[in-house]
Amino acid sequence: TKSDTEGFPHSIVELLDGFKASKTLFTASKLGVFDVLSDSGLTVEEVANRINASVLGTEKLLDAAVSLGLLHKLKCEDKPVYRNTEQARQFLVSDSPLSLHAYILHCNDMIWPLFTHLESAVREGTNQQERAFGKKSENVFQDVYFKKDEVTLRFMNAMHSIAKVTGRDVATAFDLSHFRTACDVGGCTGAMAYEFTKAHPELSVIVFDLPAVIEMKSHFQSKEQDGRVSFVAGDFFKDDLPKADLYILARILHDWSDEKVHELLSKLSKSCTPGCGLLLSEILLDEERTRPSRALLQALSMTEGRQRSAAEYSNLLKKHGFSPVHTRYTNNLLDAMLFVKDEQT
Ligand code: SAM
């Protein structure tokens, strides 16, 4: 038989099923499948019993997860036994150090509902918070994420899990040995800050974030005791920023319009003396704005921000007296750019 199916639209067919695959991962995570399989392999009945679900539904979910490479299915006497794959063990079990569990729940609970209204989002050119959650939102942080402690914690957990997985690559992307104090602007749980202090023994980091976030920081401090990380509450559009000789902006600017970015950068620029560093971490688009698709898909959630290329970020920052020094494509979820404040502006 001819295995080369030239002319067959493989990539389109894969996209047709993409949403089913995502939802399989989300549902298995949400029901705790990877957690109940974290110690040993289990039969369908055992998993169904522990996740409190039907045997029929659990079997279909587990088999789909096997087909996606998330679980192994092993022959065992009379009944098959399901086990976590190595990747599931490392990234999907909720209490593993590099778990993406919280981010997966964020995708399921906050992003998926927005994308079910993509058609309206495109027609109207606006985000779909109101259709998806019944709430109009001018500022997604204040109006959606930080209204209730429980939602704030869920958002923080999601940010924390991505920062844990990406933080080391961002923290080690550049030689930062001449900086002593950093301020992680919008630094959330401090996950990124701890990666910076781990990587740079001379550096201390102040995490600056909204009061609603800083109030919850104790939920994330258990294992990470490091006196070089401290926390300051404030609004980066309204309040003074802590003094530092390196400012970190990780996953901040893509949430804001050029106008808001200018507002924030102008403030940062005033806090900076010549030689001060600014480390930006974002997904960087290529100059044609065609890749990576991760960034362009994220843009469809239609926050007021935009995804930008390295040249676009450089142009925004140059207007505030910051010159690009290095750009690092990490091949991870986040790229990084280092800027330095010019002598005179
Ligand atoms: N930098 C973190 C990271 O990379 O994991 C978190 C990125 S998260 C997408 C954006 C962060 O900006 C949130 O922690 C949010 O609370 C914070 N933030 C949003 N608006 C803010 C404001 N006006 N002042 C201070 N922080 C703000």
Side-chain angles (χ1 to χ4, degrees):
T1 58
K2 196 166 177 245
S3 63
D4 176 12
T5 47
E6 205 182 309
F8 186 81
H10 287 289
S11 58
I12 294 176
V13 169
E14 210 166 292
L15 288 178
L16 279 175
D17 279 343
F19 78 100
K20 296 176 196 161
S22 298
K23 196 66 178 174
T24 299
L25 169 64
F26 298 172
T27 302
S29 296
K30 189 148 185 169
L31 293 177
V33 166
F34 306 107
D35 287 348
V36 302
L37 292 174
S38 65
D39 292 332
S40 62
L42 298 174
T43 63
V44 170
E45 286 78 9
E46 288 166 332
V47 175
N49 186 26
R50 295 201 197 177
I51 66 171
N52 202 14
S54 69
V55 172
L56 183 71
T58 302
E59 182 169 28
K60 289 185 193 297
L61 181 68
L62 297 183
D63 284 341
V66 170
S67 78
L68 295 171
L70 302 174
L71 296 177
H72 292 304
K73 184 177 185 177
L74 308 160
K75 279 206 191 90
C76 209
E77 291 170 17
D78 51 338
K79 281 186 176 168
V81 162
Y82 295 83
R83 261 185 203 290
N84 283 338
T85 57
E86 180 51 29
Q87 279 215 338
R89 197 187 61 69
Q90 241 192 309
F91 297 105
L92 301 178
V93 172
S94 62
D95 62 1
S96 82
L98 294 181
S99 180
L100 288 168
H101 180 80
Y103 187 68
I104 292 167
L105 296 196
H106 173 77
C107 290
N108 185 63
D109 297 343
M110 308 305 284
I111 312 293
W112 177 273
L114 290 181
F115 273 75
T116 63
H117 298 289
L118 185 55
E119 201 178 308
S120 311
V122 171
R123 278 189 207 285
E124 296 162 10
T126 56
N127 86 57
Q128 297 295 306
Q129 296 288 344
E130 192 173 6
R131 273 200 183 85
F133 303 110
K135 281 177 257 174
K136 208 175 170 62
S137 116
E138 298 291 321
N139 176 324
V140 74
F141 295 105
Q142 276 153 23
D143 302 336
V144 180
Y145 292 143
F146 304 151
K147 277 267 179 220
K148 279 199 230 132
D149 283 359
E150 161 209 334
V151 184
T152 306
L153 260 186
R154 201 167 56 188
F155 172 80
M156 290 176 74
N157 264 310
M159 294 306 113
H160 192 76
S161 70
I162 293 289
K164 290 282 253 187
V165 172
T166 56
R168 192 167 171 276
D169 284 347
V170 174
T172 57
F174 309 111
D175 175 6
L176 303 176
S177 54
H178 53 296
F179 297 116
R180 293 290 169 271
T181 51
C183 174
D184 190 0
V185 182
C188 207
T189 67
M192 196 70 98
Y194 288 112
E195 293 298 336
F196 274 80
T197 53
K198 246 184 259 166
H200 307 284
E202 307 282 325
L203 192 68
S204 47
V205 184
I206 304 164
V207 176
F208 183 87
D209 211 299
L210 291 166
V213 169
I214 300 294
E215 270 164 29
M216 303 285 223
K217 71 176 170 43
S218 58
H219 291 266
F220 301 88
Q221 304 301 301
S222 53
K223 287 185 209 117
E224 311 262 18
Q225 288 301 339
D226 184 338
R228 287 182 291 136
V229 175
S230 55
F231 291 81
V232 171
D235 182 326
F236 54 52
F237 290 120
K238 296 189 186 136
D239 301 316
D240 287 340
L241 295 169
K243 284 272 168 232
D245 45 30
L246 173 69
Y247 286 90
I248 301 163
L249 284 172
R251 292 194 290 164
I252 302 299
L253 299 188
H254 74 265
D255 275 328
W256 305 102
S257 62
D258 284 2
E259 194 192 342
K260 286 281 199 189
V261 168
H262 281 307
E263 212 180 296
L264 176 55
L265 291 178
S266 136
K267 195 134 171 248
L268 264 169
S269 173
K270 288 190 192 113
S271 305
C272 283
T273 48
C276 246
L278 194 153
L279 193 152
L280 184 74
S281 186
E282 295 283 355
I283 311 172
L284 298 174
L285 280 180
D286 65 10
E287 293 314 323
E288 292 75 38
R289 300 182 56 84
T290 56
R291 291 271 181 309
S293 85
R294 205 156 30 84
L296 298 159
L297 294 174
Q298 183 171 335
L300 285 171
S301 51
M302 305 257 182
T303 62
E304 70 165 277
R306 54 188 260 110
Q307 301 289 332
R308 301 175 177 93
S309 67
E312 287 176 299
Y313 280 120
S314 291
N315 287 337
L316 287 173
L317 274 111
K318 275 184 201 154
K319 296 207 171 82
H320 299 275
F322 293 99
S323 296
V325 186
H326 297 293
T327 298
R328 178 65 69 91
Y329 293 89
T330 63
N331 199 24
N332 193 327
L333 285 173
L334 287 175
D335 305 310
M337 297 180 78
L338 183 64
F339 293 82
V340 67
K341 183 78 191 315
D342 300 338
E343 280 305 320
Q344 42 189 309
T345 41

